[in-house]
Amino acid sequence: MTVKFVEVDRETPYLLPPSVQEWLPAGHLARFVVEIVGQLDFRSLKASYAGRGSQPYHPEMLAALLFYGYATGVFSSRALERSTYDSVAFRFIAANNHPDHDTIATFRRRFLPQLTELYVQLLLIAHQLKVLKLGRVSLDGSKVKANASRHKALSYEHAGKLEAQLRAEVAELLKKAEAADRVDLPDGLNIPEELERREERLTAIAAAKAEIERRAAERHAREQAGYDQKVAERAKKEQATGKKARGKPPKPPKPGPTAKDQVNLTDEESRIMPVSGGGFDQTYNVQAGVDTTSKLIVSAHVTQNPNDRRELLPTLEHLTALPQELGTVTELIADSGYFSATNVTACEVGEITPYIAFNRQEHNQSLWERFREPEPLPDDADAVTRMKHRLQTPAGKAVYAQRKVSSEPVFGIIKAVMGFRSFLLRGLEAVHGEWNLVCMAYNMKKLHALTR
């Protein structure tokens, strides 16, 4: 029996249809990204172009290229350039143009602030599509690797040792330079080059030590404020009761850096943080507030803090600054990492009902434990007591359970499906812009799925 195969013909002209509109099926994500980008206001971004030099690529095309790239796991400028040749979808977005990687990288780095301004516009489009109506928001955070190795971190103690070693080597090289005419030097030893290399390292170490000392001064100021508050509260309590307060008095903080304080020489604004699965890495802490109904990210920011306790207040500021037509946030869900009396009170002041876990939830609770009603709430209950009571009711438990199916899956999609596990840019401001780019790409991907 003779099998007839489909003919392989690479010589026929117009192997692809002559119109880019015929290259992709209807409903393709690339078409959707181009359509959404076409509805965004690029006037402020276009105004940044001076109009000199060669004719630039259209910013809407470059932005769509970035959004689609981040949505499909293509992040680097070189990979994006290569995809405009290899991928039909990228060819469609670029209209069969091929911007080089320098152009793409420069556009991303230069216009991140303007691209961030488009974030709210995208949420407004979601509202117009009847997909987004703010109400209940789930907040969560995750660590994303910085574009720096933790092995490039320099501790204050080691910096001092290196500085002393390099200064001794510089002194020895200068002695050899003075005696160079009388003593044979080892083959390959170039004293000016060796001196220059060590002077550069000494300059870098001095800058690193100055940064560590600056951070230590900021930390001491915070700790001193906390210490003063504890001392004042202790004195007030003693005055009210007429008795000496129990327990040891608080210890004043020590000024100056510790031996283990460190800074990364590649990205000094990143921090070594504990990561899931154990261990430490050079990372940033990224935050996302997710609408529990649409699963769209409505609030996003990046922090250098290793824990999440101080990240609820910035999220509240972002949520209250959103346009009124998007609706009003009425409830906020967060895990125990965000719990503090300050955060609970801030939610109530902002007329948002908090559902913040105050301890770790036990797994596999019994049926009766899950549906047991708590004791009646006392009349003089404060904000924290009211929230704890709320979380112990079956209705409150049902609300808090939505965290596992809203904010947690978002990070799973971003890291596992979109493949975003490490920042390309360096510095807190640039990383914040890139995280907004990631969240916008995720929102476009989610909008596409919700409106197909």
Side-chain angles (χ1 to χ4, degrees), residues 117 174 242 427:
E117 293 173 3
L174 290 174

PDB file of all heavy atoms in Angstrom, residues 117 174 242 427:
ATOM      1  N   GLU A 117       1.097  54.053  33.426  1.00  0.00           N
ATOM      2  CA  GLU A 117      -0.095  54.906  33.419  1.00  0.00           C
ATOM      3  C   GLU A 117      -1.267  54.241  32.699  1.00  0.00           C
ATOM      4  O   GLU A 117      -2.434  54.603  32.932  1.00  0.00           O
ATOM      5  CB  GLU A 117       0.225  56.245  32.753  1.00  0.00           C
ATOM      6  CG  GLU A 117       1.211  57.116  33.538  1.00  0.00           C
ATOM      7  CD  GLU A 117       1.627  58.353  32.767  1.00  0.00           C
ATOM      8  OE1 GLU A 117       1.097  58.550  31.641  1.00  0.00           O
ATOM      9  OE2 GLU A 117       2.480  59.109  33.269  1.00  0.00           O
ATOM     10  N   LEU A 174      52.836  49.596  44.777  1.00  0.00           N
ATOM     11  CA  LEU A 174      53.554  50.861  44.679  1.00  0.00           C
ATOM     12  C   LEU A 174      55.033  50.688  45.009  1.00  0.00           C
ATOM     13  O   LEU A 174      55.899  51.306  44.389  1.00  0.00           O
ATOM     14  CB  LEU A 174      52.915  51.893  45.623  1.00  0.00           C
ATOM     15  CG  LEU A 174      51.534  52.401  45.211  1.00  0.00           C
ATOM     16  CD1 LEU A 174      50.941  53.293  46.293  1.00  0.00           C
ATOM     17  CD2 LEU A 174      51.598  53.165  43.889  1.00  0.00           C
ATOM     18  N   GLY A 242       0.216  52.865  89.501  1.00  0.00           N
ATOM     19  CA  GLY A 242       0.999  53.125  90.686  1.00  0.00           C
ATOM     20  C   GLY A 242       1.928  51.990  91.048  1.00  0.00           C
ATOM     21  O   GLY A 242       2.508  51.973  92.132  1.00  0.00           O
ATOM     22  N   GLY A 427      17.023  47.680  39.979  1.00  0.00           N
ATOM     23  CA  GLY A 427      16.627  48.893  40.689  1.00  0.00           C
ATOM     24  C   GLY A 427      15.142  48.859  41.004  1.00  0.00           C
ATOM     25  O   GLY A 427      14.337  48.373  40.206  1.00  0.00           O
TER      26      GLY A 427
END
